[in-house]
CSV table of all heavy atoms in Angstrom, one decimal:
chain,number,residue,atom,x,y,z
A,232,ALA,N,88.9,114.9,99.2
A,232,ALA,CA,89.7,113.8,99.6
A,232,ALA,C,91.2,114.1,99.2
A,232,ALA,O,92.1,113.5,99.9
A,232,ALA,CB,89.3,112.6,98.8
A,233,LEU,N,91.5,114.9,98.2
A,233,LEU,CA,92.9,115.2,97.8
A,233,LEU,C,93.4,116.5,98.4
A,233,LEU,O,94.5,116.9,98.1
A,233,LEU,CB,92.9,115.2,96.3
A,233,LEU,CG,92.7,113.9,95.6
A,233,LEU,CD1,92.4,114.1,94.1
A,233,LEU,CD2,94.0,113.0,95.8
A,234,SER,N,92.6,117.0,99.3
A,234,SER,CA,93.1,118.3,100.0
A,234,SER,C,93.6,118.1,101.4
A,234,SER,O,93.8,119.1,102.1
A,234,SER,CB,92.0,119.3,100.0
A,234,SER,OG,90.9,118.9,100.9
A,235,GLY,N,93.9,116.9,101.7
A,235,GLY,CA,94.4,116.6,103.1
A,235,GLY,C,93.4,116.4,104.1
A,235,GLY,O,93.7,116.4,105.3
A,236,ALA,N,92.1,116.1,103.7
A,236,ALA,CA,91.1,115.8,104.7
A,236,ALA,C,91.4,114.5,105.4
A,236,ALA,O,92.1,113.6,104.9
A,236,ALA,CB,89.7,115.7,103.9
A,237,GLY,N,90.8,114.4,106.6
A,237,GLY,CA,91.0,113.1,107.4
A,237,GLY,C,90.1,112.0,106.9
A,237,GLY,O,89.0,112.3,106.4
A,238,GLU,N,90.5,110.8,107.1
A,238,GLU,CA,89.8,109.6,106.6
A,238,GLU,C,88.4,109.4,107.2
A,238,GLU,O,87.6,108.8,106.6
A,238,GLU,CB,90.6,108.4,106.6
A,238,GLU,CG,91.0,108.0,108.1
A,238,GLU,CD,92.1,107.0,108.1
A,238,GLU,OE1,93.1,107.1,107.3
A,238,GLU,OE2,92.1,106.1,109.0
A,239,ILE,N,88.3,109.9,108.5
A,239,ILE,CA,87.0,109.7,109.1
A,239,ILE,C,85.9,110.5,108.5
A,239,ILE,O,84.8,110.1,108.2
A,239,ILE,CB,87.0,110.0,110.7
A,239,ILE,CG1,88.2,109.2,111.3
A,239,ILE,CG2,85.7,109.8,111.3
A,239,ILE,CD1,88.0,107.7,111.3
A,240,GLN,N,86.3,111.7,108.1
A,240,GLN,CA,85.4,112.7,107.4
A,240,GLN,C,85.3,112.4,105.9
A,240,GLN,O,84.3,112.6,105.3
A,240,GLN,CB,85.8,114.1,107.7
A,240,GLN,CG,85.7,114.6,109.1
A,240,GLN,CD,86.8,114.0,110.0
A,240,GLN,OE1,87.9,113.8,109.5
A,240,GLN,NE2,86.5,113.9,111.3
A,241,ALA,N,86.4,111.9,105.4
A,241,ALA,CA,86.5,111.7,103.9
A,241,ALA,C,87.2,110.3,103.7
A,241,ALA,O,88.4,110.3,103.5
A,241,ALA,CB,87.3,112.8,103.2
A,242,PRO,N,86.4,109.2,103.8
A,242,PRO,CA,87.1,107.9,103.7
A,242,PRO,C,88.0,107.7,102.4
A,242,PRO,O,89.0,107.0,102.5
A,242,PRO,CB,85.8,106.9,103.6
A,242,PRO,CG,84.8,107.6,104.4
A,242,PRO,CD,85.0,109.1,104.0
A,243,ALA,N,87.7,108.4,101.3
A,243,ALA,CA,88.5,108.2,100.1
A,243,ALA,C,90.0,108.7,100.4
A,243,ALA,O,90.9,108.2,99.8
A,243,ALA,CB,88.0,109.0,99.0
A,244,ALA,N,90.1,109.6,101.3
A,244,ALA,CA,91.4,110.1,101.7
A,244,ALA,C,92.3,109.0,102.3
A,244,ALA,O,93.5,109.1,102.3
A,244,ALA,CB,91.3,111.3,102.6
A,245,GLY,N,91.7,108.0,102.9
A,245,GLY,CA,92.4,107.0,103.6
A,245,GLY,C,92.7,105.8,102.8
A,245,GLY,O,93.3,104.8,103.2
A,246,ALA,N,92.2,105.8,101.5
A,246,ALA,CA,92.4,104.7,100.6
A,246,ALA,C,93.7,104.8,99.9
A,246,ALA,O,93.8,105.5,98.9
A,246,ALA,CB,91.2,104.5,99.7
Side-chain angles (χ1 to χ4, degrees):
L233 289 163
S234 67
E238 62 196 36
I239 305 299
Q240 294 76 29

